[in-house]
Coordinates of all heavy atoms in Angstrom, one line a residue:
Chain A
I10 N -35.0 -7.9 -4.5 CA -34.8 -8.1 -6.0 C -36.1 -8.7 -6.6 O -36.5 -8.3 -7.7 CB -33.6 -9.0 -6.3 CG1 -32.4 -8.4 -5.8 CG2 -33.5 -9.4 -7.7 CD1 -31.1 -9.2 -5.8
R26 N -32.9 -11.9 -14.2 CA -32.5 -11.6 -12.8 C -31.4 -10.6 -12.7 O -31.4 -9.8 -11.8 CB -32.0 -13.0 -12.2 CG -32.0 -13.0 -10.7 CD -31.2 -14.1 -10.2 NE -29.8 -14.0 -10.7 CZ -29.3 -14.8 -11.5 NH1 -29.9 -15.8 -11.9 NH2 -28.1 -14.6 -12.0
Q27 N -30.5 -10.6 -13.7 CA -29.5 -9.6 -13.7 C -30.0 -8.2 -13.8 O -29.5 -7.3 -13.1 CB -28.5 -9.8 -14.9 CG -27.2 -10.2 -14.4 CD -26.2 -10.4 -15.6 OE1 -26.4 -9.9 -16.7 NE2 -25.2 -11.2 -15.3
A31 N -29.7 -5.2 -11.0 CA -29.1 -3.9 -11.3 C -30.0 -2.8 -10.8 O -29.6 -1.8 -10.1 CB -28.9 -3.8 -12.8
Y33 N -32.4 -3.0 -8.5 CA -32.4 -3.0 -7.1 C -31.2 -2.3 -6.5 O -31.3 -1.4 -5.6 CB -32.5 -4.5 -6.6 CG -32.3 -4.7 -5.1 CD1 -33.4 -4.3 -4.3 CD2 -31.2 -5.2 -4.6 CE1 -33.2 -4.5 -2.9 CE2 -31.0 -5.3 -3.2 CZ -32.1 -5.0 -2.4 OH -31.9 -5.2 -1.0
L34 N -30.0 -2.6 -7.0 CA -28.8 -2.0 -6.5 C -28.7 -0.5 -6.7 O -28.3 0.2 -5.9 CB -27.6 -2.7 -7.1 CG -27.2 -4.0 -6.5 CD1 -26.0 -4.6 -7.2 CD2 -26.8 -3.9 -5.0
Q37 N -30.6 1.0 -4.1 CA -30.0 0.8 -2.8 C -28.8 1.7 -2.6 O -28.6 2.3 -1.5 CB -29.7 -0.6 -2.6 CG -30.9 -1.5 -2.4 CD -31.6 -1.3 -1.1 OE1 -30.9 -0.9 -0.1 NE2 -32.9 -1.6 -1.0
I38 N -27.9 1.7 -3.6 CA -26.7 2.5 -3.3 C -26.6 3.8 -4.2 O -25.6 4.4 -4.3 CB -25.4 1.7 -3.6 CG1 -25.3 1.1 -5.0 CG2 -25.3 0.5 -2.6 CD1 -24.0 0.4 -5.3
K40 N -26.9 4.7 -7.5 CA -26.0 4.9 -8.6 C -26.7 4.8 -9.9 O -27.7 4.1 -10.0 CB -24.9 3.7 -8.5 CG -23.7 4.1 -7.8 CD -22.7 3.0 -7.8 CE -21.3 3.4 -7.6 NZ -20.6 4.0 -8.7
E74 N -24.6 13.8 -31.8 CA -23.3 14.5 -32.0 C -23.5 16.0 -31.9 O -24.4 16.5 -32.6 CB -22.7 14.1 -33.3 CG -21.2 14.2 -33.3 CD -20.6 13.7 -34.6 OE1 -21.1 12.6 -35.1 OE2 -19.7 14.2 -35.1
Y87 N -31.8 34.6 -23.4 CA -31.3 35.9 -23.9 C -32.3 36.8 -24.3 O -32.3 38.0 -24.0 CB -30.3 35.6 -25.1 CG -29.1 34.8 -24.7 CD1 -28.9 33.5 -25.2 CD2 -28.2 35.4 -23.8 CE1 -27.8 32.8 -24.8 CE2 -27.0 34.7 -23.5 CZ -26.8 33.4 -24.0 OH -25.7 32.7 -23.6
L91 N -33.0 40.5 -22.9 CA -32.9 41.7 -23.8 C -34.2 42.5 -23.7 O -34.1 43.7 -23.5 CB -32.7 41.2 -25.2 CG -32.0 42.1 -26.1 CD1 -30.5 42.3 -25.6 CD2 -32.0 41.6 -27.5
D157 N -20.6 13.6 -28.0 CA -19.2 13.8 -28.1 C -18.6 13.5 -26.7 O -19.2 13.5 -25.7 CB -18.8 15.3 -28.4 CG -19.6 15.7 -29.6 OD1 -19.6 15.0 -30.6 OD2 -20.1 16.8 -29.6
D201 N -13.5 6.2 -18.9 CA -13.5 5.4 -17.7 C -14.2 6.1 -16.6 O -14.8 5.5 -15.7 CB -12.0 5.2 -17.3 CG -11.4 4.0 -18.0 OD1 -12.2 3.3 -18.6 OD2 -10.2 3.9 -18.1
K204 N -17.8 5.4 -16.7 CA -18.1 4.0 -16.4 C -18.0 3.8 -14.9 O -18.8 3.0 -14.4 CB -17.2 3.1 -17.2 CG -17.5 3.0 -18.7 CD -16.7 2.0 -19.3 CE -17.3 1.7 -20.7 NZ -16.6 0.6 -21.3
R205 N -17.0 4.4 -14.3 CA -16.7 4.2 -12.9 C -17.9 4.6 -12.1 O -18.1 4.1 -11.0 CB -15.4 4.9 -12.5 CG -14.8 4.3 -11.3 CD -13.4 5.0 -11.1 NE -13.5 6.4 -11.1 CZ -14.0 7.1 -10.1 NH1 -14.6 6.5 -9.1 NH2 -14.1 8.4 -10.1
C207 N -21.0 4.4 -12.7 CA -22.3 3.7 -13.0 C -22.1 2.2 -12.7 O -21.1 1.6 -12.7 CB -22.6 3.8 -14.5 SG -22.7 5.5 -15.1
L208 N -23.3 1.6 -12.5 CA -23.4 0.2 -12.5 C -23.4 -0.2 -14.0 O -24.1 0.4 -14.8 CB -24.7 -0.3 -11.9 CG -24.8 0.0 -10.4 CD1 -26.2 -0.4 -9.9 CD2 -23.8 -0.7 -9.6
H209 N -22.7 -1.2 -14.3 CA -22.6 -1.6 -15.8 C -23.4 -2.8 -16.1 O -23.1 -3.9 -15.6 CB -21.1 -1.8 -16.1 CG -20.9 -2.0 -17.6 ND1 -21.0 -3.3 -18.2 CD2 -20.7 -1.1 -18.6 CE1 -20.8 -3.1 -19.5 NE2 -20.6 -1.9 -19.7
L210 N -24.5 -2.6 -16.8 CA -25.4 -3.7 -17.1 C -25.3 -3.9 -18.6 O -25.5 -3.0 -19.4 CB -26.8 -3.3 -16.7 CG -27.9 -4.2 -17.1 CD1 -27.8 -5.5 -16.3 CD2 -29.3 -3.6 -16.8
H211 N -25.1 -5.2 -19.0 CA -25.1 -5.5 -20.4 C -26.4 -6.4 -20.6 O -26.6 -7.4 -20.0 CB -23.9 -6.3 -20.8 CG -23.8 -6.6 -22.2 ND1 -24.4 -7.7 -22.8 CD2 -23.3 -5.9 -23.2 CE1 -24.2 -7.7 -24.1 NE2 -23.5 -6.6 -24.4
Chain B
R18 N -9.6 -4.1 -14.3 CA -9.0 -2.9 -13.7 C -10.0 -2.4 -12.6 O -11.1 -2.0 -12.9 CB -8.7 -1.8 -14.7 CG -7.5 -2.1 -15.5 CD -7.4 -1.1 -16.6 NE -8.6 -1.1 -17.4 CZ -8.9 -0.1 -18.2 NH1 -8.3 1.0 -18.2 NH2 -10.0 -0.2 -18.9
S20 N -10.5 0.1 -9.4 CA -10.1 1.2 -8.6 C -10.6 1.0 -7.1 O -11.6 0.3 -7.0 CB -10.5 2.5 -9.1 OG -11.9 2.6 -9.0
A22 N -12.3 3.0 -5.5 CA -13.7 3.5 -5.4 C -14.7 2.4 -5.9 O -15.7 2.2 -5.3 CB -13.9 4.7 -6.3
E23 N -14.3 1.6 -6.9 CA -15.1 0.5 -7.3 C -15.3 -0.6 -6.3 O -16.3 -1.1 -6.1 CB -14.6 0.0 -8.6 CG -15.1 0.8 -9.8 CD -14.1 0.7 -11.0 OE1 -13.1 0.0 -10.9 OE2 -14.4 1.3 -12.0
D26 N -17.7 0.6 -3.8 CA -19.0 0.4 -4.3 C -19.5 -1.0 -4.2 O -20.6 -1.3 -3.8 CB -19.1 0.8 -5.8 CG -19.1 2.3 -6.0 OD1 -19.4 3.0 -5.0 OD2 -18.8 2.8 -7.1
R29 N -20.3 -1.9 -0.7 CA -21.6 -1.4 -0.3 C -22.8 -2.2 -0.9 O -23.7 -2.5 -0.2 CB -21.8 0.1 -0.8 CG -21.2 1.1 0.2 CD -21.2 2.5 -0.5 NE -22.5 3.0 -0.7 CZ -22.8 3.9 -1.7 NH1 -21.8 4.4 -2.4 NH2 -24.0 4.4 -1.9
A30 N -22.6 -2.6 -2.2 CA -23.6 -3.3 -2.9 C -23.8 -4.7 -2.2 O -24.9 -5.2 -2.0 CB -23.3 -3.5 -4.3
K33 N -25.8 -4.9 0.8 CA -27.2 -4.8 0.6 C -27.8 -6.2 0.2 O -28.9 -6.5 0.5 CB -27.6 -3.8 -0.5 CG -27.1 -2.4 -0.2 CD -28.0 -1.8 0.9 CE -27.5 -0.4 1.2 NZ -28.3 0.2 2.3
I41 N -26.7 -14.2 -7.1 CA -26.9 -12.8 -7.0 C -25.6 -12.1 -6.6 O -25.3 -11.0 -7.2 CB -28.0 -12.5 -5.9 CG1 -29.3 -12.9 -6.4 CG2 -28.0 -11.0 -5.5 CD1 -30.5 -12.7 -5.5
D44 N -23.8 -11.7 -9.8 CA -24.3 -10.6 -10.6 C -23.9 -9.2 -10.1 O -23.6 -8.3 -10.8 CB -25.9 -10.6 -10.6 CG -26.4 -11.7 -11.5 OD1 -25.6 -12.2 -12.3 OD2 -27.6 -12.0 -11.5
T45 N -23.9 -9.1 -8.7 CA -23.6 -7.9 -8.1 C -22.1 -7.5 -8.4 O -21.9 -6.3 -8.8 CB -23.7 -8.0 -6.6 OG1 -25.0 -8.5 -6.3 CG2 -23.5 -6.7 -5.9
L48 N -21.9 -6.3 -12.0 CA -22.5 -5.0 -12.2 C -21.6 -3.9 -11.7 O -21.5 -2.8 -12.3 CB -23.8 -4.9 -11.5 CG -25.0 -5.6 -12.2 CD1 -26.2 -5.7 -11.2 CD2 -25.4 -4.8 -13.4
T49 N -21.0 -4.1 -10.5 CA -20.3 -3.0 -9.9 C -18.8 -2.9 -10.4 O -18.3 -1.8 -10.4 CB -20.3 -3.1 -8.4 OG1 -20.0 -4.4 -8.0 CG2 -21.7 -2.8 -7.8
A51 N -17.1 -4.9 -13.2 CA -16.7 -5.0 -14.6 C -17.3 -3.9 -15.4 O -18.5 -3.5 -15.2 CB -17.2 -6.3 -15.1
K52 N -16.5 -3.3 -16.3 CA -17.0 -2.2 -17.1 C -17.1 -2.5 -18.6 O -17.6 -1.6 -19.3 CB -16.1 -1.0 -16.9 CG -15.9 -0.5 -15.5 CD -17.2 0.0 -14.9 CE -17.1 0.2 -13.4 NZ -18.4 0.2 -12.8
T53 N -16.7 -3.7 -19.0 CA -16.9 -4.0 -20.4 C -17.3 -5.5 -20.5 O -17.2 -6.2 -19.5 CB -15.6 -3.9 -21.2 OG1 -14.7 -4.8 -20.7 CG2 -15.1 -2.5 -21.2
Q54 N -17.7 -5.9 -21.6 CA -18.1 -7.3 -21.8 C -17.0 -8.3 -21.5 O -17.1 -9.3 -20.8 CB -18.6 -7.6 -23.3 CG -20.0 -7.6 -23.5 CD -20.8 -8.4 -22.5 OE1 -21.1 -7.9 -21.4 NE2 -21.2 -9.6 -22.8
K57 N -16.4 -8.5 -17.9 CA -17.4 -9.3 -17.3 C -17.1 -10.8 -17.4 O -17.3 -11.6 -16.5 CB -18.8 -9.0 -17.9 CG -19.5 -7.9 -17.3 CD -21.0 -7.8 -17.8 CE -21.5 -6.4 -17.7 NZ -21.6 -5.9 -16.3
K248 N -11.6 16.5 -31.0 CA -12.3 17.7 -31.4 C -11.7 18.9 -30.7 O -12.2 20.0 -30.8 CB -13.7 17.6 -31.0 CG -14.4 16.6 -31.9 CD -15.7 17.0 -32.4 CE -16.2 16.1 -33.5 NZ -17.6 15.9 -33.5
W267 N -31.3 38.3 -32.0 CA -31.4 39.5 -31.0 C -30.7 40.7 -31.5 O -29.8 41.3 -30.8 CB -31.1 39.1 -29.6 CG -30.0 38.0 -29.3 CD1 -28.8 38.3 -29.0 CD2 -30.2 36.6 -29.4 NE1 -28.1 37.1 -28.8 CE2 -28.9 36.1 -29.1 CE3 -31.2 35.7 -29.7 CZ2 -28.7 34.7 -29.0 CZ3 -31.0 34.4 -29.7 CH2 -29.7 33.9 -29.3
F272 N -24.3 38.0 -28.6 CA -24.3 37.2 -27.4 C -23.4 35.9 -27.5 O -22.7 35.5 -26.6 CB -25.7 36.7 -27.0 CG -26.5 37.8 -26.4 CD1 -27.5 38.4 -27.0 CD2 -26.2 38.1 -25.1 CE1 -28.3 39.4 -26.4 CE2 -26.9 39.1 -24.4 CZ -28.0 39.7 -25.1

Side-chain angles (χ1 to χ4, degrees):
Chain A
I10 296 172
R26 201 197 56 249
Q27 245 183 19
Y33 172 74
L34 280 177
Q37 290 288 334
I38 62 175
K40 266 181 155 279
E74 206 174 322
Y87 294 114
L91 208 63
D157 308 314
D201 280 345
K204 287 188 166 182
R205 202 172 54 69
C207 303
L208 298 174
H209 186 269
L210 176 66
H211 185 273
Chain B
R18 284 172 302 158
S20 67
E23 274 154 2
D26 283 341
R29 271 173 68 204
K33 299 286 179 186
I41 289 181
D44 284 348
T45 305
L48 282 167
T49 47
K52 301 296 170 205
T53 62
Q54 258 319 77
K57 273 190 203 297
K248 292 224 166 144
W267 34 100
F272 280 110

